Amino acid sequence: MNFERIQTIAIETVMDSKTKEVLLTLGLVVIPFVWSGPQLLVGSVVNMLLCLTAANSQPKSWWIKAALPSLAVVARGGLFSSFTPYLLYLWPIITLGNWVFMSIGQSKLKVLAKIKLPVAAITKMVILMTGATVLAQLKIIPGAMVGSMGIIQLVTALIGGMLAAL
């Protein structure tokens, strides 16, 4: 009797792919809704969940999943009176950054196999920094918010991607 095969079947039965996808998606909402900081921890966990969600779901569902963490933060602010409209302006940019991070991370391009995570993390940071800089120059958001869209986003994406790989 092949015990490895029995163990694998038992684990797959307990956690089928749809259940895994639902739990990961729920995590994209619950974690940023419940935790407000530190950004290094919350951002790393959210980026890990983005990677795992992308690996366990269809690309057509990634846009909504990429949008969920920011929407959860907006909801938390609305409920607990720490709401800032600036996040609403950044929300589409963050969603795009998350989606690109997920897409590059799950790309099938062989040339990127070894450098997918750094490329995905850097691309996400560039999207966030560029969008925040444009919004700050247009006086839509305070210039101080641009800094939170830079290196810390790169670091949390790298940590989250490495955690997901484990």
Side-chain angles (χ1 to χ4, degrees):
M1 183 163 231
N2 187 346
F3 289 106
E4 265 185 38
R5 177 80 176 128
I6 292 170
Q7 183 179 2
T8 302
I9 291 170
I11 290 170
E12 287 174 0
T13 303
V14 171
M15 183 72 82
D16 68 359
S17 63
K18 200 61 175 166
T19 303
K20 191 185 302 181
E21 181 181 353
V22 167
L23 290 174
L24 290 168
T25 304
L26 188 60
L28 288 171
V29 175
V30 172
I31 298 299
F33 183 81
V34 173
W35 283 346
S36 62
Q39 188 176 2
L40 183 63
L41 176 62
V42 177
S44 296
V45 171
V46 166
N47 280 297
M48 177 191 71
L49 290 170
L50 287 170
C51 290
L52 293 173
T53 301
N56 289 283
S57 63
Q58 295 297 314
K60 65 183 176 188
S61 71
W62 292 354
W63 274 109
I64 189 69
K65 292 171 183 177
L68 290 174
S70 296
L71 291 176
V73 172
V74 169
R76 181 186 71 229
L79 289 174
F80 302 113
S81 68
S82 59
F83 176 76
T84 173
Y86 305 125
L87 188 55
L88 287 176
Y89 299 122
L90 286 167
W91 170 69
I93 296 162
I94 295 169
T95 299
L96 176 62
N98 287 343
W99 181 82
V100 168
F101 180 66
M102 295 166 80
S103 297
I104 293 172
Q106 288 302 307
S107 70
K108 303 294 184 209
L109 298 173
K110 300 278 187 214
V111 71
L112 290 178
K114 292 188 175 158
I115 59 167
K116 274 198 291 193
L117 177 57
V119 168
I122 290 167
T123 305
K124 177 180 178 174
M125 181 194 70
V126 168
I127 290 168
L128 296 178
M129 280 287 294
T130 302
T133 300
V134 168
L135 291 177
Q137 288 176 346
L138 294 172
K139 308 279 189 232
I140 295 172
I141 65 169
M145 291 190 76
V146 175
S148 66
M149 296 292 132
I151 295 299
I152 188 71
Q153 295 296 329
L154 173 65
V155 171
T156 60
L158 289 170
I159 291 171
M162 287 186 281
L163 289 172
L166 295 175

